[in-house]
Amino acid sequence: MARFSSWAMAAFILLLSSSLIHLSSSAEVHPISSDLRRTVVLPLSLSSRHTDGYRHGRRLFHGRELSGKPTARMRLYDNLLSNGYYTTRLLIGTPPQEFALIVDTGSTVTYVPCSSCKQCGKHQDPRFQPELSSTYQPVKCDSQCYCDSEGKQCTYERRYAEMSSSSGVLGNDMVSFGNESELLPHRVVFGCENKETGDLHNQRADGIMGLGRGSLSVMNQLVEKGAVGDSFSLCYGGMDVGGGAMILGSIAPPPGMVFSHSDSHRSPYYNFEMKEIHVAGKPLKLSASTFNGGHGTVLDSGTTYAYFPSRAFVALKDAIIKSITSLRQIPGPDPNYHDICFSGAGWNISHLQQVFPEVDMVFSNGGKLSLSPENYLFRHTKVLGAYCLGIFKSENDETTLLGGIIVRNTLVTYDRENKKIGFWKTNCSELWKTLQEADSSTPADLVPRRHNTSLVMPPVEAPSGLPAINFSTGNVVLITFEMSFYLKDTSTMLNFTEFADLISHELEIDASQVQLLNLPQKGNYFFLKCAISPAKFKKNIPDSMVMSIILRLRDHKVQFPQRFGSYKLVKWSTQIAKKQTWWHQHILAVVISATIVVFLSLLSFGIWFAWRKKQLPEVVYQPVDADATFPEQELQPL
């Protein structure tokens, strides 16, 4: 089966399905490969991803406001090569109902499963219940849309190239963007699914957050309301890290960000102008028109890997292989595909630049984006220290498609207002940590910023058998919790290091704060006890972090790869700092004072001793005369 469906097929389906769209806007049809191993089981535009649990390959940039308007700062979750997508969390309704939505720059409609849906799969969160939202309003029928069977509400329908589909009604409700966003909740039109088929039915994520160009796009709606500037940014974590950040709204570009023109009239996808590629400083022998065929060079967050036209792929592959002399080429992890893989590079990502070449993408305006090895490689899943090329050949297609792997550890700004896309190399994970520390003096509220409606969080109640969320503010020095995991496949190996990294990532804390206490196994169950300590150089865990950690654990917002099975929170507890006595509070001052006293005493004694030595009379010793003779004397007997 082909790794990636052709754009020609997509164009045909686009025309064919236009009659199915129950909106005035044109149909969204995204070519997704029928190859389920290489294709993410999600309707993301131009997607072609792995679904074998290994090959899917996700912290936040607080830029200065460029337009004077607020921005929505939102975290990204999941892992590009493990999950095949990034999700963010969106709150819809009053009181808010939370959903994990796939961030997709190639889709325009945002939709979630509706409570009335009889043909929706089992996803991460409960379905949206319009009847529980006091601010929900159906989008009433008019001449601009197609109506439901009762002629009352506008409908939508989306079909995709691999024949999965989503359909339902359109609703209008308050949408908020998380605790760390300064953007107030706004009314947004979204889809409430009544039916989903194909891969959409099986995905773990709840739905799609459309960031593409189109009237129903979240970005378009917010911009039309004047809520944010016409720009958004994404920042993906590096290899083995995952996570990331998203900013809705305009930010001032960081120094050193390089831009390329983006032609919004050429296609509905975000494209930019690339004229050549350099490998190890040498340009490939390709004409600039090579990267201008089809839809041009397209950047899509819904795609995992990169797909080049045939002649560009061959030239790039040969140049990379030629520049590698110390590694051995080996077969890929799947014999059904001719992956280009190399062994002997080692496990440490920071050492990859010593053996793999740097690849530069040169724009038409002379700007350049340098790709490190993590931007075009993925780990071999069966051979340690081996890596495979994450760039593939587009079959029967002249479009150059760049997926998320190309922009790992890169802040990408989609400046729609000025028709350009910017790139800035950075450590997305460290960037988020830096921002957290900078904002620690004014921690984010635990509930979203309120609009002038009655938007409030639902009452916090503890599930049966678990303690209520109650702790002494400002005094928590340790959080402990116990979890149980049920694994269908007991051959799956779970280890401490992997769990520590996963938990620190999901709870958005430093890995050094996580201590795993045990990981016993009983049949299909694994039991984990974990402790969370304060960050380095901190005495306590901030109250906002305590609440965030407990809520995420309690409400099952912590996500693990599917191979870890399902988990259950057994119990949790917080340890409060003991009240210190006067002696404990002042022991450091006492020790420092005593040290100073001892030092001054020794110094004074040294000075006195030196002075005293100078005051003693000098003793003159007479030399012994070697020629002098002395009479012998006989020793007297005892």
Side-chain angles (χ1 to χ4, degrees):
M1 292 185 288
R3 294 192 184 201
F4 186 69
S5 303
S6 68
W7 285 81
M9 183 63 180
F12 171 76
I13 295 177
L14 179 63
L15 295 174
L16 181 64
S17 61
S18 60
S19 62
L20 299 174
I21 304 305
H22 298 211
L23 294 169
S24 59
S25 59
S26 61
E28 277 185 280
V29 180
H30 308 306
I32 300 183
S33 170
S34 58
D35 168 16
L36 292 182
R37 185 178 184 283
R38 290 285 185 185
T39 305
V40 165
V41 290
L42 299 168
L44 301 186
S45 66
L46 316 177
S47 347
S48 183
R49 308 188 180 111
H50 299 289
T51 57
D52 57 359
Y54 298 96
R55 296 195 180 180
H56 290 304
R58 127 195 169 151
R59 273 187 188 243
L60 184 65
F61 181 74
H62 188 195
R64 291 173 286 125
E65 297 172 12
L66 189 62
S67 61
K69 298 177 181 179
T71 58
R73 302 172 50 185
M74 306 172 69
R75 296 177 184 266
L76 298 181
Y77 302 88
D78 301 303
N79 183 282
L80 182 65
L81 298 185
S82 297
N83 302 92
Y85 52 76
Y86 291 99
T87 61
T88 191
R89 293 186 177 135
L90 211 62
L91 299 164
I92 305 177
T94 306
Q97 302 172 44
E98 188 173 11
F99 300 94
L101 303 184
I102 298 162
V103 174
D104 187 9
T105 61
S107 294
T108 59
V109 180
T110 296
Y111 52 82
V112 297
C114 217
S115 59
S116 59
C117 184
K118 296 181 179 179
Q119 298 186 43
C120 289
K122 185 178 181 181
H123 303 296
Q124 177 177 329
D125 298 288
R127 299 173 183 177
F128 178 69
Q129 302 182 62
E131 64 276 9
L132 296 184
S133 175
S134 62
T135 51
Y136 175 80
Q137 298 174 353
V139 177
K140 296 180 180 181
C141 278
D142 55 26
S143 59
Q144 301 298 318
C145 74
Y146 287 94
C147 303
D148 59 10
S149 58
E150 298 178 357
K152 295 181 179 180
Q153 192 168 355
C154 286
T155 62
Y156 79 95
E157 182 169 353
R158 291 294 181 266
R159 290 187 180 273
Y160 301 90
E162 37 57 287
M163 299 312 296
S164 65
S165 66
S166 170
S167 60
V169 296
L170 291 178
N172 186 316
D173 208 337
M174 300 301 300
V175 172
S176 54
F177 305 90
N179 301 341
E180 287 137 321
S181 293
E182 54 192 6
L183 180 65
L184 297 175
H186 281 273
R187 282 198 169 273
V188 170
V189 175
F190 66 98
C192 200
E193 282 186 314
N194 286 326
K195 182 180 179 180
E196 55 186 18
T197 64
D199 295 335
L200 284 176
H201 188 274
N202 303 321
Q203 69 188 21
R204 172 178 169 81
D206 300 312
I208 300 290
M209 181 177 181
L211 295 173
R213 296 186 175 107
S215 59
L216 288 179
S217 167
V218 169
M219 276 303 303
N220 282 56
Q221 294 187 61
L222 293 175
V223 171
E224 289 175 4
K225 293 174 182 291
V228 298
D230 195 5
S231 175
F232 68 93
S233 302
L234 297 172
C235 199
Y236 301 153
M239 184 181 288
D240 300 335
V241 177
M246 176 170 65
I247 306 166
L248 303 183
S250 301
I251 59 173
M257 175 171 273
V258 293
F259 288 90
S260 178
H261 177 70
S262 181
D263 188 355
S264 59
H265 299 291
R266 178 170 185 174
S267 76
Y269 307 103
Y270 294 105
N271 54 62
F272 63 94
E273 298 175 348
M274 183 168 66
K275 69 175 182 179
E276 60 185 27
I277 290 182
H278 297 175
V279 177
K282 299 180 180 179
L284 301 181
K285 296 180 179 180
L286 298 168
S287 64
S289 61
T290 302
F291 306 103
N292 198 37
H295 288 264
T297 300
V298 173
L299 184 63
D300 179 38
S301 68
T303 299
T304 303
Y305 298 103
Y307 297 84
F308 280 31
S310 179
R311 58 185 179 275
F313 168 75
V314 172
L316 178 62
K317 175 199 67 173
D318 292 345
I320 291 177
I321 293 176
K322 184 179 179 180
S323 66
I324 300 173
T325 57
S326 60
L327 304 181
R328 181 171 61 92
Q329 192 166 345
I330 61 174
D334 191 332
N336 296 320
Y337 301 98
H338 301 292
D339 288 328
I340 302 168
C341 304
F342 307 89
S343 67
W347 186 258
N348 195 328
I349 299 173
S350 62
H351 295 166
L352 294 183
Q353 291 181 326
Q354 300 175 9
V355 290
F356 288 99
E358 186 176 76
V359 176
D360 298 322
M361 297 194 308
V362 182
F363 307 145
S364 296
N365 59 6
K368 180 178 69 174
L369 175 64
S370 297
L371 306 180
S372 61
E374 74 168 346
N375 294 121
Y376 61 84
L377 297 175
F378 64 92
R379 286 193 187 276
H380 197 296
T381 56
K382 295 182 179 179
V383 180
L384 292 176
Y387 299 84
C388 303
L389 192 62
I391 300 174
F392 303 100
K393 180 172 64 175
S394 295
E395 299 292 346
N396 305 318
D397 185 23
E398 294 303 310
T399 297
T400 300
L401 176 63
L402 306 180
I405 191 173
I406 295 293
V407 289
R408 288 197 284 200
N409 274 336
T410 305
L411 177 70
V412 182
T413 295
Y414 298 78
D415 189 347
R416 307 179 346 153
E417 180 178 5
N418 297 303
K419 297 181 180 181
K420 60 183 181 179
I421 297 178
F423 304 88
W424 185 55
K425 298 292 292 184
T426 184
N427 187 321
C428 291
S429 301
E430 293 300 323
L431 181 63
W432 169 246
K433 293 176 184 177
T434 302
L435 293 173
Q436 273 190 308
E437 294 173 359
D439 295 343
S440 61
S441 58
T442 55
D445 297 333
L446 296 178
V447 297
R449 304 284 182 92
R450 298 186 181 182
H451 194 259
N452 56 3
T453 67
S454 58
L455 177 64
V456 295
M457 292 294 290
V460 178
E461 297 179 356
S464 177
L466 293 176
I469 300 179
N470 185 22
F471 58 91
S472 179
T473 58
N475 294 313
V476 176
V477 294
L478 193 70
I479 303 173
T480 58
F481 56 89
E482 297 182 18
M483 308 168 68
S484 64
F485 290 82
Y486 178 79
L487 278 67
K488 293 182 179 179
D489 182 9
T490 56
S491 63
T492 301
M493 295 299 294
L494 306 183
N495 60 74
F496 271 46
T497 303
E498 189 172 16
F499 259 113
D501 291 340
L502 285 170
I503 290 175
S504 63
H505 167 251
E506 286 297 312
L507 298 181
E508 297 165 353
I509 57 178
D510 193 87
S512 62
Q513 295 179 247
V514 179
Q515 180 183 3
L516 299 180
L517 305 180
N518 57 4
L519 192 64
Q521 179 180 0
K522 295 181 181 179
N524 291 74
Y525 287 90
F526 282 82
F527 297 89
L528 171 71
K529 187 174 182 180
C530 184
I532 308 295
S533 58
K536 192 175 182 181
F537 304 122
K538 302 290 185 180
K539 295 181 179 180
N540 302 320
I541 304 176
D543 297 340
S544 58
M545 182 178 292
V546 175
M547 182 64 77
S548 174
I549 289 174
I550 295 177
L551 285 176
R552 291 190 183 190
L553 292 169
R554 191 204 68 174
D555 297 338
H556 284 80
K557 300 302 182 183
V558 176
Q559 301 179 47
F560 294 101
Q562 292 184 359
R563 61 191 180 91
F564 289 121
S566 59
Y567 82 88
K568 179 181 179 181
L569 180 63
V570 179
K571 63 179 180 179
W572 76 74
S573 63
T574 57
Q575 182 176 325
I576 310 302
K578 295 181 179 179
K579 188 176 181 180
Q580 294 183 331
T581 63
W582 182 93
W583 174 256
H584 287 94
Q585 293 176 354
H586 300 87
I587 186 171
L588 182 61
V590 172
V591 171
I592 293 175
S593 300
T595 304
I596 294 175
V597 170
V598 171
F599 174 77
L600 293 176
S601 299
L602 292 175
L603 181 63
S604 301
F605 178 78
I607 295 173
W608 174 84
F609 183 79
W611 175 82
R612 179 62 178 169
K613 186 176 180 181
K614 289 183 179 180
Q615 301 302 316
L616 293 175
E618 185 176 359
V619 179
V620 180
Y621 294 92
Q622 297 294 331
V624 177
D625 188 354
D627 297 331
T629 58
F630 299 92
E632 262 186 46
Q633 293 183 358
E634 184 178 350
L635 295 176
Q636 298 295 323
L638 295 176

